[in-house]
Amino acid sequence: MTARLFPLFADLRDRPVLVVGGGAVAARKVAALLAAGASVRVGVPELEPGLQALADSRQIVHRAGRFQSWWLDSVWLVVAATDDAAVNRSVAEAATIRRLLVNVVDDAELSSFQVPAVVERGPLQIAISSGGAAPMLARRLREQLETQLDESLGALATLLARQRERIRARLPNLSMRRRWFDRLLDGPVPGLLRQQQSAKAEAILLDTLENIREAKSTGSVALVGAGPGDPGLLTLRALRLLNQADVILHDRLISKEVLALARRDAEFIEVGKESGNHHTTQNRIHELLLEFARAGRRVVRLKGGDSFVFGRGGEELEFLRAHDVPYEVVPGITAALACAAYAGVPLTHREHAQSVRLLTAHCQSSIDGLDWRALAQERQTLAVYMGVAELEQLRANLLKHGRAADTPFALIENGSRPEQRVIVGTLDRLPELARRHSVISPALLILGEVAALAERLHWFGPAPLVADADHALHTFADAA
Ligand code: SAH
């Protein structure tokens, strides 16, 4: 077996450490050493301005001139970070003779210790090393961990440190302590810390310590917006929750690319009223949420776009609140924002539109309930959800209340997905064009002066389809 590096976390508080070199790389090492409380000496003929400022305020000591071996007197650790290989080598050799651990930046051969890539969450540190073999890989891994590990882990580590004595006293037996700890992590405490409710989190922790017997894991529900389909539009928080979920109740519209990012062994349940085969009513969804949460499971209720925009998220929360189920809400990118972005249609524009309205027109009663006079005003943008089947009434009402017949529209089908299509035209021909092109759900209508910009600003997928005078459709690229 080839020897590997021995990982260790060193306590350098008030301990002298020598950094040879004064450039940007040295400055980064100095900053990390200062953060660990080390007493840093920097050896270099001349300090760069940042380091000079530290020397002026006595946070570091400057050893001026060329490297001399007495600089190593009384130090615990050495870093060579000059851009001169010969100097780095002589520092490494002098340090090794004195049995000091030395790191030569970017030179595993000369180094007797390596500085890992680090992910930090409060007192918690995760150090990654490839043993000098592939620093890029370690860095990449660090980036991945950064996205996956919640910031609240730091608060959790701090809380546990504060209660450490009490926890040990109450649970002297290691295996009991472990079981208690597992339950704690599966319970509401981490979630409360994330929600900045640290007093409540601490109270619950203390309570579970007092009542060890009854402690029973409580489930929770996260109402998560999955965005329009492109998995790149998920939030970090959504991704983390999908990684931890025991059960995922998702709408039919959620893209498979998004579902592929979730924990593999989670239970996936497709719900949603639009689904033809499984007609899951809203009440049934409520029941399922309650059932799973009561069984102590971490439930993610995953909805297309944002849960609070035509997503019935409010109803689900009211139900959860009434049944005392802990919940949180993660916003998602709603279809109007996503479709606008992916079609190159700015929803507002200094010259064309000063306001945006999100509305739905999916059945006669919702259409009749709208304030058409207000909706027909110029210089505003309408983003119409679920409207594909109701375009005739939409046009009739808008024209009747004074919106110009040549108001531009962009109809975006499957926005942000590989199969995205955009059809542009004017209000007077909206239903005909949608029909001619067999637009299907999900599609979002953007109506207003800004919609015309799609022809110039589009960037995603095929160019928008436009109609010429005799209603023949062709792509904008063909027309140009
Ligand atoms: N909560 C969702 C909306 C649910 S209503 C959100 O915030 O986006 C469903 C309607 O949203 C669809 O009929 C369609 O109008 C729109 N929609 C959702 N995803 C879409 C997509 N990828 N492209 C176009 N429209 C979409």
Side-chain angles (χ1 to χ4, degrees), residues 92-143:
E93 284 168 359
T96 305
I97 289 169
R98 297 198 186 202
R99 302 188 183 186
L100 286 169
L101 287 176
V102 60
N103 173 256
V104 180
V105 171
D106 284 337
D107 192 334
E109 222 32 58
L110 283 179
S111 298
S112 51
F113 79 92
Q114 298 286 342
V115 182
V118 179
V119 181
E120 284 181 324
R121 293 291 181 272
L124 203 67
Q125 291 184 300
I126 300 162
I128 306 154
S129 162
S130 65
M136 296 304 271
L137 198 60
R139 225 164 290 158
R140 176 61 177 265
L141 199 57
R142 188 189 73 82
E143 283 162 20

Side-chain angles (χ1 to χ4, degrees), residues 180 184 187-189 192 199-210:
W180 172 83
L184 183 83
V189 168
L192 286 168
K200 206 160 159 191
E202 186 150 17
I204 289 181
L205 181 145
L206 293 175
D207 191 60
T208 63
L209 270 184
E210 290 313 310

